[in-house]
Amino acid sequence: MSDIAIRIENLKHFFGQVKAVDGLSLSVPAGMIFGFLGPNGAGKTTTINILLGLLEPTEGGAEILGFDIRTQADEIRSRTGALLEHTGLYEQMSAEENLEFYGRVWRMPAPERDARIKELLSLMGLWERRSDSAGKWSQGMKQKLALARALMHRPLLLFLDEPTAGLDVAAATAIRNDLANLARNEGVTIFMTTHNMAEVEKLCSQVAVIRQGKLIAVDSPDELRKKTGSPQIEVIGKGFTEDVLTLLEKHTEVSGTELDNNHLIIYLQEDTDTAPLVNLMVSEGVQIEEVRKGKASLEQVFLTLMEEEE
Amino acid sequence: MIADILTVMWKERKGLLKQRGSRVRALWVLLIPAIMLGILLPWQEGHGWIEGYWSLIGSILIPILLVSTFIPESFAGERERHTLGTLLASRLPDRAILFGKILIAVIYAWGVSLCVLLLELITVNITGWDGRIVFFPADVLLIDIVLGLLLACFMAGIGVMISLRASTVQGATMTLMATTFLPLIILQVVGMVLLQKGSGGRERIMEFITTVDWMQVIMIIMLVMVVASVGAIWAAMVRFQRGRLLFS
């Protein structure tokens, strides 16, 4: 198999006058978790549908695992798994029957299918409730079952459309851990969309950001932070008066401040020495409890990218 | 392809009787026409039900009613319950999905209509026992069997076309029922108007009814049904393509 799992070339898809995907080009190396980010309506789901051969591109093309999306979509679907916008579970059927159906779809022999069902349901902590109708389960359990279904045939590439959307913290964490294990232990390439930046930070080796169907950035989260977000210090304490903020902002190495109760973020130029700033605040009577130096969060990077595009 | 069709049928069979909630409710959908057409009416009519063309009522109504329930559940229901995208993202070919769904609906509906024929036979023989076993005339039985199958296929093809355009199961079912029964109702109304009008209309209709070769009429209808069924299923095949399904 090629080192590149997904290669997209100038992909376009228009719904009438609306450009859902507009000249998208990117490559996703095999074996990594790739985050595909963008605001609602950016074209993320449409892109996944095109890559799975569920929608014809208006222009351009793509290769998935070396297969052309226009002419070899069946081959692509045979080798990939998908957890789309909805779980896609048959709620009147039991968890076991849902997996059995997709095991049959992928023509797994009965003994292998049964073993895989047990393995996956046990891995997801659902084995004890395998005979329950999926419709009776919580959203988190359904999402896990849907993930198990997507993994049933040991796909080389997994498309996940907001896999943790609507889940509580515990369920979302469990799914994230499962995904991290999959990529690490089984070498599965994961192409996922999400709005959760903490999830991206934790899981993704690379991210692409799209807006109105156009690619606006692609890199590792660290590189994106370096390129887009400025260094910053977070100061937790008391006594952040207007005068203190004005003094700080007059400092040539400070590009801005943001105060939220007792939490002050000071945006800095590159290679700024922070000690004089801390001294300045102390001399102005600020009671500092904690100072943290760091890069901008991915959320800030994302917002900056969106603003730049506007 | 056949293995894939059987896989889809396996799933449809699992879901078919449970789609609308309880098994009991689903059973009623099967039991009510079976009791009406298999027991009550034949009991009332006696031997005439078996020896005449009355059994055709069941062979016509049951496939129409059951396919009109099953096909919208199977096609529009898949979209309404948001399971269609995942199914289409699998390796199953379009045709396997289409034929798997159609076949299970046709087999169920036709199977039930055959069971009702058997029930009619048992009912009439028990309730009107006169020392001999009565059986359907060969031509009537043949028509019952073939017409039931053809109607189920035709309804399935039309049902797929309607279901693919409908956003809900209820909408698809209503449209399918209206499409099926409206021509029959119009025909009946026209007939009644002609009967009321006088000026020889009534006489001409009665003459037609009493002198026409019904076997010939039914054969023509069946021939039309064959063509219509093939046409409807072919149109469904053209329409049922991944690229058109998700965002139509």
Side-chain angles (χ1 to χ4, degrees), chain A residues 4-309:
Chain A
I4 301 295
I6 301 174
R7 192 191 308 275
I8 303 175
E9 297 277 350
N10 191 32
L11 193 69
K12 293 183 182 179
H13 187 83
F14 304 155
F15 291 110
Q17 298 295 311
V18 179
K19 294 177 178 178
V21 181
D22 192 6
L24 185 67
S25 297
L26 61 87
S27 294
V28 177
M32 70 155 52
I33 302 184
F34 188 91
F36 195 49
L37 315 181
N40 290 333
K44 305 185 294 293
T45 301
T46 304
T47 304
I48 289 183
N49 284 328
I50 295 171
L51 298 183
L52 281 167
L54 305 181
L55 266 181
E56 276 273 313
T58 310
E59 265 184 66
E63 274 185 11
I64 309 295
L65 303 169
F67 296 101
D68 189 287
I69 56 163
R70 286 181 187 272
T71 56
Q72 294 169 298
D74 291 343
E75 299 291 339
I76 293 168
R77 285 190 292 267
S78 296
R79 290 164 174 81
T80 55
L83 199 175
L84 303 176
E85 215 174 346
H86 302 281
T87 57
L89 296 171
Y90 294 100
E91 300 210 335
Q92 75 281 8
M93 283 162 56
S94 71
E96 207 171 14
E97 286 170 342
N98 267 282
L99 295 190
E100 186 179 348
F101 170 55
Y102 278 95
R104 285 169 183 262
V105 165
W106 269 284
R107 294 186 182 169
M108 297 168 78
E112 186 193 339
R113 191 171 65 217
D114 294 344
R116 183 69 171 153
I117 290 172
K118 187 170 186 185
E119 181 191 349
L120 285 168
L121 288 181
S122 303
L123 181 76
M124 301 283 174
L126 302 171
W127 177 247
E128 298 301 318
R129 296 189 61 184
R130 62 190 178 279
S131 303
D132 291 2
S133 294
K136 292 178 183 166
W137 283 8
S138 69
Q139 189 56 34
M141 291 168 79
K142 285 181 190 172
Q143 200 77 1
K144 282 184 147 202
L145 179 59
L147 184 60
R149 181 205 55 218
L151 295 170
M152 188 69 194
H153 58 300
R154 300 179 196 277
L156 298 169
L157 169 64
L158 204 51
F159 289 100
L160 305 175
D161 198 353
E162 300 186 31
T164 58
L167 299 188
D168 63 36
V169 177
T173 306
I175 293 231
R176 272 180 218 130
N177 291 339
D178 292 337
L179 294 177
N181 288 337
L182 264 175
R184 192 171 46 238
N185 302 333
E186 299 191 26
V188 177
T189 308
I190 300 177
F191 184 87
M192 62 183 281
T193 73
T194 180
H195 290 294
N196 186 327
M197 295 301 150
E199 190 163 282
V200 176
E201 301 246 19
K202 186 171 179 196
L203 291 177
C204 300
S205 314
Q206 270 198 45
V207 294
V209 182
I210 64 165
R211 188 170 189 275
Q212 292 176 341
K214 286 184 177 159
L215 184 71
I216 55 177
V218 56
D219 223 320
S220 68
D222 277 343
E223 284 303 313
L224 276 182
R225 264 192 295 262
K226 274 184 202 163
K227 283 181 194 168
T228 315
S230 56
Q232 62 185 43
I233 52 171
E234 286 178 65
V235 186
I236 299 166
K238 289 173 188 164
F240 299 116
T241 60
E242 282 296 319
D243 292 343
V244 174
L245 298 183
T246 311
L247 274 173
L248 282 170
E249 281 169 7
K250 276 182 184 165
H251 215 283
T252 51
E253 290 176 317
V254 173
S255 54
T257 60
E258 198 177 299
L259 180 63
D260 186 9
N261 290 324
N262 294 333
H263 191 122
L264 176 70
I265 298 174
I266 306 170
Y267 298 105
L268 306 168
Q269 306 294 338
E270 285 294 337
D271 304 322
T272 301
D273 183 8
T274 53
L277 298 173
V278 175
N279 287 338
L280 173 74
M281 285 188 278
V282 171
S283 67
E284 289 298 315
V286 174
Q287 294 171 287
I288 295 175
E289 288 171 16
E290 192 178 338
V291 178
R292 277 200 299 253
K293 202 171 175 180
K295 289 280 179 188
S297 69
L298 206 53
E299 195 167 88
Q300 286 163 336
V301 171
F302 181 79
L303 291 173
T304 307
L305 285 168
M306 292 299 120
E307 281 165 15
E308 280 173 5
E309 279 300 301

Side-chain angles (χ1 to χ4, degrees), chain B residues 222-240:
Chain B
M222 291 212 308
L223 199 66
V224 171
M225 289 300 304
V226 170
V227 176
S229 303
V230 171
I233 289 173
W234 179 82
M237 273 167 59
V238 172
R239 182 81 181 85
F240 196 87

Side-chain angles (χ1 to χ4, degrees), chain B residues 117-178:
Chain B
L117 282 180
L118 186 66
L119 203 56
E120 290 169 19
L121 209 55
I122 293 168
T123 304
V124 169
N125 275 293
I126 290 174
T127 58
W129 179 251
D130 61 357
R132 66 183 177 101
I133 293 174
V134 288
F135 199 75
F136 298 106
D139 55 347
V140 173
L141 184 64
L142 188 70
I143 292 167
D144 272 325
I145 292 171
V146 177
L147 191 62
L149 178 62
L150 288 175
L151 263 172
C153 292
F154 175 69
M155 288 300 295
I158 297 287
V160 173
M161 299 295 289
I162 288 171
S163 299
L164 293 181
R165 285 180 167 80
S167 53
T168 62
V169 174
Q170 202 180 6
T173 309
M174 303 257 287
T175 312
L176 187 53
M177 288 282 193

Side-chain angles (χ1 to χ4, degrees), chain B residues 93-104:
Chain B
D94 296 348
R95 300 242 163 117
I97 299 173
L98 176 72
F99 285 119
K101 283 170 175 286
I102 285 181
L103 271 175
I104 198 82

